[in-house]
C-alpha cells in the first residue's frame, strides 16, 4: 500500500497557511539568513526550471531555519512585460486582468509544492504599490544626473508602424508580419551605468561566493580597455578625427583610417561630393545588421573609400579615409586607425582593398617562422619596434608608454581607458511597464513629477491595436496633464521602463514590502541585507545581476541601501533536460510539474529534482528516477508505520549491543555527511543518498534482529534524525510522520540534529599477527571490520610485508578478535 500523499500534502499546506508558519519579522537578537530565488515572470504556468530553482531555495531556507537562523524567504512577481500586452492585442484581455489571473494560478502551483515562503511579503511589480517605488527610483537617479535622455535607434517595423523589442526581431524581420525591420532614431531615456563601470568591475573581487564563470562574464561585459585617443587632421580642412586605440605602439604602421558608416562626420565630409550617394547607400545597408553580425570573425570586412585623407601626426603621412562595416559607432570614438600588419581585422581589410601592410614590430630574437615583410596574417604578439622613427629598437610594451607621453606633450592625443559597457537604455515604447514620471511643458521644459504625486498610474482607457507607437498615446486622460511647476498644460512622457528596472531593487523592497512612506525602512534593510544566498538561472548572469549591483551601489551612495553589493553568494542552477535537450514547447519534450505532483506528490517531485544532479549541473529528466524517489518515500512511510510501537516504550534494552552500536554509528555518520553536504557545498544529491543508506540500515536492523532484542532508544534516535534530515527535502511526509510518532510541534521548528563524535569512534580490538605460528606484530582493528578488511590490514602492515617478501603465502586463518595466522613457505 502506498502512502496517501494527496491527503497529507493538502492537510499540511493548509495548516502551515493557517498558522502563517513561514512569516518572519526582524529579530535583533537572532542571526538572520536571507534566502532568495529569482522571482518569476507570471506566465501562468510553472515549468520544471521553476520547480528546480525553488526546490533548491526551499531546502536551503528550511535547513538554515533548523540551524537556528531567522530566515527571510520571500516570493513575488516580475509582472510587467511584453506577453501581457500581446495577450491584449491578440485576445482583447486587459494586461492587468491577464497578469492577475496568471499570478493566482502560479501562486497556487507554488503553494502545492510546499515552498516555505513568507507570503505576507509578496510583491507584484505591476501593482501601483510597487511601481510607485520604481518611479521613485527613477526620480532619484534623475536628480543625481544618472537618468538622461538622448537619441538612440530602435527596431522599427514599418508595416506594423511600431517599435519592436530585440526579441521580436527574428533574423532581421518582424516576428509578427515578417517585414524587414529598420532602425529608427528616437529620443529615449538612459541610466548612466557607465559612471559606475570602474566600481562594478573592481568590486567583482568582493564577490567571493559567486561562481567564477559569472564573474568572468561580468568582467567581459564591462570590458575595460586601456589605450589612447589619437587625433588625425583631415587633409585640406580644419576637421580632426580622433581614434581610440589599445595599441599606440603601432602608430607608424597605420595605413588607413576607418569610420563607422553612421559616424556623424561622414555626412559632412561627403556632402556635395561624388561619394555622397554611395556612402549613404553603404550606411543604409550596414545599419540593418546588428553588432554581432558586424564584428564577427566570419563576416567579410567591407568598406568604402570616401575621397578624403587624414594625416598621421607622427610621420606626417597622408592616409586614405574609409567607412567600414566592422567599425562600431558605439565603441571608442567610432573611428579606427588601421594597422594591417598587427591587427587581423585590419589585415583582412587591407588585403581586400590593396592597402599597404607596414610592419612596425618584429619578434624578439630570431624567429624564422615569421617573415615580417611577407606576412600571411597579422603579427599580434610582442616584440621590438621597427620603422618607428625615434622609437625604433624599443620593446613595444615600453614604447607604448613613451608614445603616449610624447603625444600628450605634443597635444596629439592622450591616454584613455574605455569600457565596452554602454549606458542602460530604459525606455520602452510599451504600455505594460512603469510609466516614466516625467512631464513636458512648453514653458518649463522637462519636469520630473513631484514625489508626492507618485505613482503615475497606468490608464485603462487605452486601445491595443498592435499598430502605432505606444498604446499609452491613445489615452487622452493620461497624456494631457498639467505642469507641476507652472500649472499650465503639459504632456506626459509615454515611455515606460524596462522591466529590468523593477527587478533591480526588489530584493531590498522585500525587507519592508508594505512601507508606503519610503521604499523601505533603512533599519529593516540593514538587518536583512545582503542576500546571503541567491539562486537563479545563468541566463541572468549579466544583465539582471549587473543592473542589481548598479542599483545597489547608487542607492548605497544615496544612503538608501545599507550595503553596496546585494548578493553575497550566488548559485546558478543547471537546466532541466529531457532526452538531452532543454525542455521546451517547440521540442515537445515538456514534463508538466502539475502532472508529476498529481501522480506522485510534491515531496517526490522535489526529492527527484534535488537527487538527480548537483544543483549547478544540468539535470536529465528520468521517469524511472521519479518512480525511484516515490518508492523511497513509501519505504520511509512503511518503515515508520512498522516501527511506530517502539515510541511507546522508548527505554527498553538500555545496554548497547554491537548491532546497536553499528546503528548509532550509521545515524551519526549520516548526520555528519548530510550536514557537510548542505553546509559546505549544497550537494543535495549525495545528502539524499546518505539518508537513503540510513533508511536501509534501519530496515536491516529491523529484519535481522528479533524485536525482543531491539534497543528502542537507538532506533528512535535513528528514525528521528533521519526524518529531521529529510524534512527540508520532503516537508510534508516528514511533518506527518513526525506527528504520527507522537512528537509535539512541527518538525520544521526543530533543531538540526548534531552528531555525537563518540558514536563515530568504533570499538577496537587488539589482534596478534602470527607468521607460521610466531607472533610478529600486534594491530588494532575496528569491531565492525570484516574478515577481508582484517586480512588487508595485516598484509599492508610494513613489518609483515617485509617478513613475507619473496615468500609464498599458503594459508591465512583469522580467529575473530584474537589472531591472524599467516602460513608461508
Ligand atoms: C590600432 C590597433 C593596432 C588596434 C593593433 C588593435 C591592434 P578592445 O581591445 O576590444 O578595446 N577599435 C577601436 N574602436 C573601435 C570601434 N568603434 N569599432 C571597432 N573596432 C574598434 O579593442 C580596441 C581596438 O579595437 C583598438 O585598437 C582599435 O584597433 C579597435 F595592432 O587600434 B586598435
Ligand atoms: Zn510648466
Amino acid at each position: 500500500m502506498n502512502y496517501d500523499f494527496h491527503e497529507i500534502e493538502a492537510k499540511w499546506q493548509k495548516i502551515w497557511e493557517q498558522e502563517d508558519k513561514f512569516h518572519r519579522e526582524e529579530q535583533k537578537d537572532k542571526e538572520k539568513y536571507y534566502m532568495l530565488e529569482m522571482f518569476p515572470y507570471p506566465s501562468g504556468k510553472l515549468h520544471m526550471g521553476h520547480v528546480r530553482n525553488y526546490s533548491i531555495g526551499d531546502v536551503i531556507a528550511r535547513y538554515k531555519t533548523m540551524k537556528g537562523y531567522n530566515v527571510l524567504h520571500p516570493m513575488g512577481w516580475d509582472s510587467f512585460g511584453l506577453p501581457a500586452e500581446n495577450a491584449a492585442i491578440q485576445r482583447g484581455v486587459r494586461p492587468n486582468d491577464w497578469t492577475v489571473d496568471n499570478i493566482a494560478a502560479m501562486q497556487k502551483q507554488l503553494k502545492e509544492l510546499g515552498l516555505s515562503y513568507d507570503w505576507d511579503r509578496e510583491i507584484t511589480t505591476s501593482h501601483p504599490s510597487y511601481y510607485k517605488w520604481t518611479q521613485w527610483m527613477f526620480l532619484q537617479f534623475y536628480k543625481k544626473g544618472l537618468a538622461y535622455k538622448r537619441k538612440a535607434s530602435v527596431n522599427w517595423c514599418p508595416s506594423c508602424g511600431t517599435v519592436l523589442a530585440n526579441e521580436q526581431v527574428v533574423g532581421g524581420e518582424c516576428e509578427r508580419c515578417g517585414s524587414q525591420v529598420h532602425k529608427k532614431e528616437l529620443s529615449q531615456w538612459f541610466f548612466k551605468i557607465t559612471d559606475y563601470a570602474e566600481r562594478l568591475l573592481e568590486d567583482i573581487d568582493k564577490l567571493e561566493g559567486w561562481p567564477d564563470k559569472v564573474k568572468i562574464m561580468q568582467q567581459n561585459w564591462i570590458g575595460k580597455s586601456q589605450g589612447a585617443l589619437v587625433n588625425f587632421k583631415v587633409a585640406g580642412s580644419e576637421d580632426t578625427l580622433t581614434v581610440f586605440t589599445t595599441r599606440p605602439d603601432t602608430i607608424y604602421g597605420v595605413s588607413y583610417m576607418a569610420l563607422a558608416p553612421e559616424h556623424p562626420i561622414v555626412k559632412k565630409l561627403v556632402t556635395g561630393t561624388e561619394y555622397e550617394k554611395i556612402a549613404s547607400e553603404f550606411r543604409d545597408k550596414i545599419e540593418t545588421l546588428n553588432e554581432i553580425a558586424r564584428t564577427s570573425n566570419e563576416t567579410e570586412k567591407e568598406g568604402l573609400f570616401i575621397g578624403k585623407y587624414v594625416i598621421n601626426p607622427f610621420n606626417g603621412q597622408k592616409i586614405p579615409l574609409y567607412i567600414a562595416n566592422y567599425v562600431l559607432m558605439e565603441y571608442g570614438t567610432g573611428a579606427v586607425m588601421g594597422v594591417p600588419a598587427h591587427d587581423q581585422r585590419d589585415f583582412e581589410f587591407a588585403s581586400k582593398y590593396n592597402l599597404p601592410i607596414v610592419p612596425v614590430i618584429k619578434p624578439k630574437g630570431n624567429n624564422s617562422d615569421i617573415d615580417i615583410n611577407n606576412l600571411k596574417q597579422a603579427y599580434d604578439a610582442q616584440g621590438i619596434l621597427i620603422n618607428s622613427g625615434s622609437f625604433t629598437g624599443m620593446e613595444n610594451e615600453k614604447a607604448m608608454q613613451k608614445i603616449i607621453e610624447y603625444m600628450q606633450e605634443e597635444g596629439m592625443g592622450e591616454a584613455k581607458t574605455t569600457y565596452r559597457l554602454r549606458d542602460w537604455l530604459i525606455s520602452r515604447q510599451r504600455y505594460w511597464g512603469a510609466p516614466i514620471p516625467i512631464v513636458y511643458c512648453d514653458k518649463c521644459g522637462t519636469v520630473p513629477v513631484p514625489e508626492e504625486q507618485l505613482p503615475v498610474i497606468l490608464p485603462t482607457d487605452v486601445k491595443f491595436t498592435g499598430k502605432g507607437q505606444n498604446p499609452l498615446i491613445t489615452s487622452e486622460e493620461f497624456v494631457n496633464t498639467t505642469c507641476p511647476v507652472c500649472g499650465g498644460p503639459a504632456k506626459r512622457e509615454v515611455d515606460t521602463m524596462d522591466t529590468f528596472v523593477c527587478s533591480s531593487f526588489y530584493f531590498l523592497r522585500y525587507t519592508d514590502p508594505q512601507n508606503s512612506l519610503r521604499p523601505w525602512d533603512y533599519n529593516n534593510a540593514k538587518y536583512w541585507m545582503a542576500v546571503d544566498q541567491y539562486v537563479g538561472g545563468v541566463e541572468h548572469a549579466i544583465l539582471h545581476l549587473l543592473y542589481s549591483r548598479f542599483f545597489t551601489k547608487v542607492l548605497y551612495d544615496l544612503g538608501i541601501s545599507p550595503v553596496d553589493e546585494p548578493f553575497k553568494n550566488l548559485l546558478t542552477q543547471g537546466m532541466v533536460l529531457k532526452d538531452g535537450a532543454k525542455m521546451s514547447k517547440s521540442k515537445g519534450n515538456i514534463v508538466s510539474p502539475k502532472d508529476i505532483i498529481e501522480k506522485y506528490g510534491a515531496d517526490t517531485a522535489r526529492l527527484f529534482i534535488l537527487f538527480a544532479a548537483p544543483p549547478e549541473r544540468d539535470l536529465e529528466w528520468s521517469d524511472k528516477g521519479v518512480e525511484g524517489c516515490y518508492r523511497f518515500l513509501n519505504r520511509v512511510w512503511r518503515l515508520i508505520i512498522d516501527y511506530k510501537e517502539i515510541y511507546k516504550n522508548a527505554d527498553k534494552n538500555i545496554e548497547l549491543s554491537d548491532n546497536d552500536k553499528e546503528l548509532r554509528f550509521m545515524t551519526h555518520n549520516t548526520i555528519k555527511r548530510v550536514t557537510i553536504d548542505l553546509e559546505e557545498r549544497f550537494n543535495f544529491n549525495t545528502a539524499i543518498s546518505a539518508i537513503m543508506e540510513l533508511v536501509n540500515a534501519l530496515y536491516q536492523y529491523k529484519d535481522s534482529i528479533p524485536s525482543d532484542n531491539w534497543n528502542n532508544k537507538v532506533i528512535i534516535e535513528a528514525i528521528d534524525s533521519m526524518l529531521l534530515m529529510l524534512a527540508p527535502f520532503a516537508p510534508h511526509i516528514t511533518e506527518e510522520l513526525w506527528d504520527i510518532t507522537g512528537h509535539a510541534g512541527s518538525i520544521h521548528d526543530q533543531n538540526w540534529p548534531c552528531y555525537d563524535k563518540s558514536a563515530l569512534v568504533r570499538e577496537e580490538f587488539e589482534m596478534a599477527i602470527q607468521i607460521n605460528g610466531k607472533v610478529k606484530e600486534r594491530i588494532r582493528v575496528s569491531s565492525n571490520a570484516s574478515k577481508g578488511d582484517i586480512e588487508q590490514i595485516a598484509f599492508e602492515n610494513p613489518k609483515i610485508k617485509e617478513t613475507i617478501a619473496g615468500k609464498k603465502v599458503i594459508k591465512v586463518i583469522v580467529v575473530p578478535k584474537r589472531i591472524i595466522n599467516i602460513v608461508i613457505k
Side-chain angles (χ1 to χ4, degrees):
M1 238 247 324
N2 288 332
Y3 84 107
D4 189 349
F5 59 83
H6 278 298
E7 192 194 313
I8 291 168
E9 293 184 354
K11 167 183 158 187
W12 288 108
Q13 284 162 17
K14 196 166 152 208
I15 293 172
W16 295 336
E17 180 146 2
Q18 279 164 354
E19 290 178 354
D20 206 2
K21 183 151 193 56
F22 305 107
H23 177 67
R24 295 289 182 276
E25 301 269 329
E26 299 65 44
Q27 269 179 274
K28 300 289 170 217
D29 53 339
K30 204 169 169 190
E31 202 178 336
K32 65 91 186 183
Y33 190 91
Y34 187 171
M35 174 66 228
L36 184 65
E37 301 110 62
M38 291 179 183
F39 67 162
Y41 176 77
S43 60
K45 242 191 182 157
L46 216 60
H47 56 68
M48 280 300 170
H50 292 127
V51 176
R52 189 168 195 202
N53 189 183
Y54 304 139
S55 298
I56 292 169
D58 200 50
V59 168
I60 301 172
R62 288 175 182 272
Y63 167 70
K64 292 289 177 183
T65 302
M66 293 173 83
K67 289 290 278 188
Y69 291 93
N70 189 24
V71 174
L72 179 63
H73 192 210
M75 182 39 82
W77 314 99
D78 189 11
S79 51
F80 272 138
L82 214 47
E85 205 156 327
N86 286 339
I89 294 164
Q90 286 154 14
R91 288 181 276 129
V93 288
R94 291 194 173 286
N96 190 56
D97 296 346
W98 185 86
T99 304
V100 168
D101 288 351
N102 281 350
I103 288 176
M106 266 174 98
Q107 189 187 50
K108 182 165 173 278
Q109 292 168 52
L110 287 182
K111 286 184 174 171
E112 281 166 2
L113 272 171
L115 302 165
S116 62
Y117 294 124
D118 181 354
W119 285 107
D120 299 336
R121 291 182 188 262
E122 179 179 1
I123 55 170
T124 303
T125 60
S126 60
H127 195 276
S129 63
Y130 186 89
Y131 71 69
K132 170 180 176 173
W133 299 110
T134 312
Q135 295 173 337
W136 186 89
M137 295 291 161
F138 177 91
L139 293 178
Q140 311 312 309
F141 278 55
Y142 184 75
K143 267 194 267 178
K144 275 273 265 178
L146 291 170
Y148 69 93
K149 205 173 187 188
R150 72 162 157 90
K151 284 216 154 163
S153 62
V154 292
N155 305 306
W156 178 257
C157 172
S159 98
C160 296
T162 191
V163 176
L164 300 176
N166 284 337
E167 57 271 26
Q168 293 176 298
V169 183
V170 180
E173 292 174 355
C174 172
E175 170 197 66
R176 256 186 271 148
C177 74
S179 12
Q180 185 74 31
V181 173
H182 290 241
K183 291 280 178 185
K184 186 174 163 175
E185 295 268 298
L186 279 184
S187 194
Q188 306 192 68
W189 287 95
F190 287 82
F191 280 159
K192 222 172 175 183
I193 191 172
T194 51
D195 271 11
Y196 281 72
E198 188 59 35
R199 266 168 78 190
L200 287 166
L201 182 67
E202 257 175 30
D203 287 356
I204 289 176
D205 287 346
K206 290 189 191 168
L207 307 175
E208 279 171 31
W210 285 38
D212 286 338
K213 66 169 183 213
V214 175
K215 291 198 273 191
I216 290 166
M217 283 159 90
Q218 294 229 338
Q219 223 161 35
N220 291 340
W221 189 260
I222 296 168
K224 181 177 180 173
S225 282
Q226 276 165 312
L229 295 176
V230 190
N231 306 321
F232 289 69
K233 287 215 160 67
V234 179
S237 101
E238 290 302 302
D239 290 317
T240 308
L241 289 175
T242 303
V243 301
F244 170 69
T245 177
T246 48
R247 298 292 307 276
D249 53 320
T250 63
I251 185 81
Y252 286 86
V254 177
S255 60
Y256 68 96
M257 182 188 286
L259 302 174
E262 61 272 54
H263 196 300
I265 199 154
V266 174
K267 226 184 193 144
K268 183 176 168 196
L269 293 174
V270 298
T271 300
T273 73
E274 57 186 296
Y275 298 98
E276 183 168 359
K277 187 152 174 275
I278 45 174
S280 130
E281 282 165 4
F282 186 77
R283 172 198 160 123
D284 288 347
K285 188 174 98 185
I286 303 304
E287 239 186 356
T288 59
L289 302 173
N290 68 26
E291 184 177 325
I292 297 161
R294 275 170 72 165
T295 51
S296 150
N297 288 338
E298 257 79 286
T299 309
E300 188 174 337
K301 309 288 168 281
E302 263 191 277
L304 182 75
F305 176 61
I306 56 168
K308 302 279 178 197
Y309 293 85
V310 296
I311 310 291
N312 184 336
F314 274 71
N315 57 12
Q317 229 173 53
K318 223 170 119 181
I319 53 176
L321 183 60
Y322 281 74
I323 51 180
N325 62 349
Y326 71 97
V327 183
L328 303 172
M329 192 54 231
E330 306 268 322
Y331 188 62
T333 61
V336 172
M337 61 182 219
V339 186
H342 304 291
D343 181 282
Q344 187 56 28
R345 291 169 305 178
D346 299 350
F347 185 89
E348 288 165 24
F349 191 85
S351 306
K352 181 163 172 183
Y353 295 105
N354 282 319
L355 291 158
I357 297 173
V358 184
V360 290
I361 297 172
K362 64 166 194 192
K364 276 183 212 169
N366 289 326
N367 189 336
S368 51
D369 293 347
I370 294 168
D371 178 359
I372 203 75
N373 292 312
N374 213 344
L375 290 167
K376 299 274 174 299
Q377 62 185 53
Y379 175 70
D380 56 9
Q382 311 302 328
I384 305 292
L385 256 56
I386 53 172
N387 305 326
S388 296
S390 61
F391 301 96
T392 300
M394 285 172 95
E395 284 184 31
N396 76 301
E397 277 168 316
K398 286 199 189 111
M400 191 107 70
Q401 208 38 53
K402 290 276 172 237
I403 286 176
I404 292 175
E405 279 166 26
Y406 179 77
M407 275 189 329
Q408 258 155 350
E409 281 160 23
E410 302 289 319
M412 297 167 174
E414 59 190 292
K416 171 78 179 173
T417 301
T418 60
Y419 299 87
R420 206 153 276 282
L421 183 68
R422 317 273 164 78
D423 276 340
W424 174 10
L425 198 173
I426 60 154
S427 274
R428 295 291 180 272
Q429 290 71 40
R430 294 286 155 203
Y431 167 79
W432 196 232
I436 293 176
I438 289 286
V439 157
Y440 300 103
C441 168
D442 280 344
K443 255 201 263 160
C444 314
T446 303
V447 181
V449 174
E451 283 178 21
E452 57 284 5
Q453 288 178 22
L454 298 183
V456 175
I457 296 274
L458 276 172
T460 48
D461 61 334
V462 288
K463 292 182 193 72
F464 297 97
T465 57
K467 291 185 190 291
Q469 285 237 8
N470 178 342
L472 269 180
I473 292 174
T474 63
S475 169
E476 300 268 331
E477 278 249 15
F478 180 83
V479 174
N480 299 310
T481 184
T482 50
C483 169
V485 177
C486 71
K491 298 235 183 264
R492 277 194 198 283
E493 172 61 84
V494 290
D495 283 356
T496 53
M497 284 184 250
D498 179 6
T499 57
F500 276 123
V501 179
C502 313
S503 56
S504 293
F505 65 94
Y506 80 111
F507 43 89
L508 277 153
R509 178 72 179 166
Y510 277 140
T511 66
D512 192 13
Q514 270 124 35
N515 201 324
S516 57
L517 302 173
R518 279 185 290 282
W520 49 79
D521 183 274
Y522 186 83
N523 288 322
N524 284 23
K526 194 167 167 67
Y527 177 72
W528 291 116
M529 287 295 285
V531 172
D532 291 280
Q533 183 66 55
Y534 199 27
V535 182
V538 75
E539 66 276 14
H540 293 298
I542 298 179
L543 295 184
H544 166 58
L545 291 170
L546 195 68
Y547 293 152
S548 298
R549 294 182 60 219
F550 167 53
F551 252 71
T552 305
K553 287 184 190 305
V554 174
L555 295 174
Y556 176 79
D557 292 349
L558 289 168
I560 298 164
S561 167
V563 293
D564 71 343
E565 280 293 338
F567 312 123
K568 252 186 241 164
N569 296 290
L570 173 72
L571 188 157
T572 50
Q573 93 255 3
M575 289 187 295
V576 183
L577 311 176
K578 179 138 192 278
D579 311 318
K582 185 179 174 174
M583 283 189 187
S584 76
K585 232 189 243 163
S586 58
K587 292 212 186 65
N589 61 348
I590 290 184
V591 180
S592 134
K594 198 164 171 278
D595 296 347
I596 298 297
I597 294 171
E598 184 58 34
K599 194 162 168 204
Y600 301 102
D603 282 341
T604 293
R606 296 168 55 122
L607 195 69
F608 166 72
I609 217 140
L610 295 163
F611 181 52
E616 279 104 347
R617 297 273 190 78
D618 287 348
L619 178 160
E620 176 66 36
W621 185 265
S622 149
D623 292 332
K624 273 215 182 97
V626 178
E627 270 175 36
C629 286
Y630 183 54
R631 269 199 311 275
F632 167 69
L633 288 181
N634 276 302
R635 225 165 116 73
V636 170
W637 180 265
R638 281 191 303 269
L639 176 77
I640 281 129
I641 300 304
D642 289 356
Y643 265 132
K644 209 168 79 181
E645 293 305 309
I646 64 171
Y647 278 83
K648 296 186 181 133
N649 189 6
D651 291 330
K652 189 172 112 291
N653 292 335
I654 295 302
E655 197 82 9
L656 292 182
S657 70
D658 280 357
N659 285 315
D660 298 343
K661 285 181 192 163
E662 196 45 34
L663 185 56
R664 280 205 86 218
F665 174 84
M666 268 307 287
T667 302
H668 291 274
N669 197 37
T670 307
I671 296 172
K672 185 177 173 187
R673 285 171 64 190
V674 174
T675 306
I676 290 172
D677 279 342
L678 295 192
E679 192 68 42
E680 290 171 19
R681 7 168 224 248
F682 298 143
N683 271 352
F684 305 127
N685 53 332
T686 50
I688 294 167
S689 67
I691 298 171
M692 290 174 169
E693 284 172 38
L694 178 58
V695 170
N696 288 344
L698 271 159
Y699 266 102
Q700 212 193 357
Y701 186 102
K702 177 168 75 76
D703 296 339
S704 61
I705 299 167
S707 59
D708 284 348
N709 296 342
W710 286 356
N711 185 321
N712 290 359
K713 203 169 172 178
V714 170
I715 301 171
I716 289 169
E717 180 187 50
I719 290 178
D720 285 359
S721 306
M722 185 272 292
L723 289 177
L724 288 167
M725 288 186 279
L726 190 59
F729 300 96
H732 309 89
I733 188 175
T734 50
E735 185 81 306
E736 178 72 13
L737 291 171
W738 193 252
D739 189 45
I740 288 176
T741 47
H743 293 90
S746 163
I747 191 168
H748 303 293
D749 294 336
Q750 307 305 312
N751 290 330
W752 185 255
C754 286
Y755 62 92
D756 173 2
K757 276 203 187 109
S758 70
L760 297 181
V761 183
R762 286 166 146 162
E763 234 171 292
E764 287 184 347
F765 294 90
E766 189 175 89
M767 291 184 79
I769 309 178
Q770 298 182 342
I771 294 192
N772 293 347
K774 264 201 207 142
V775 176
K776 289 278 174 192
E777 178 74 307
R778 293 177 191 279
I779 56 172
R780 295 192 66 80
V781 177
S782 161
S783 61
N784 68 320
S786 68
K787 243 177 114 173
D789 294 340
I790 294 170
E791 281 185 28
Q792 196 186 345
I793 294 167
F795 281 106
E796 277 167 9
N797 182 286
K799 211 158 163 190
I800 302 304
K801 257 189 180 160
E802 199 187 303
T803 322
I804 63 177
K807 307 267 166 60
K808 200 171 163 201
V809 176
I810 313 258
K811 207 173 178 184
V812 183
I813 307 149
V814 177
V815 186
K817 293 182 186 175
R818 289 186 51 213
I819 300 166
I820 308 143
N821 195 4
I822 303 172
V823 184
I824 55 172
K825 209 167 79 180

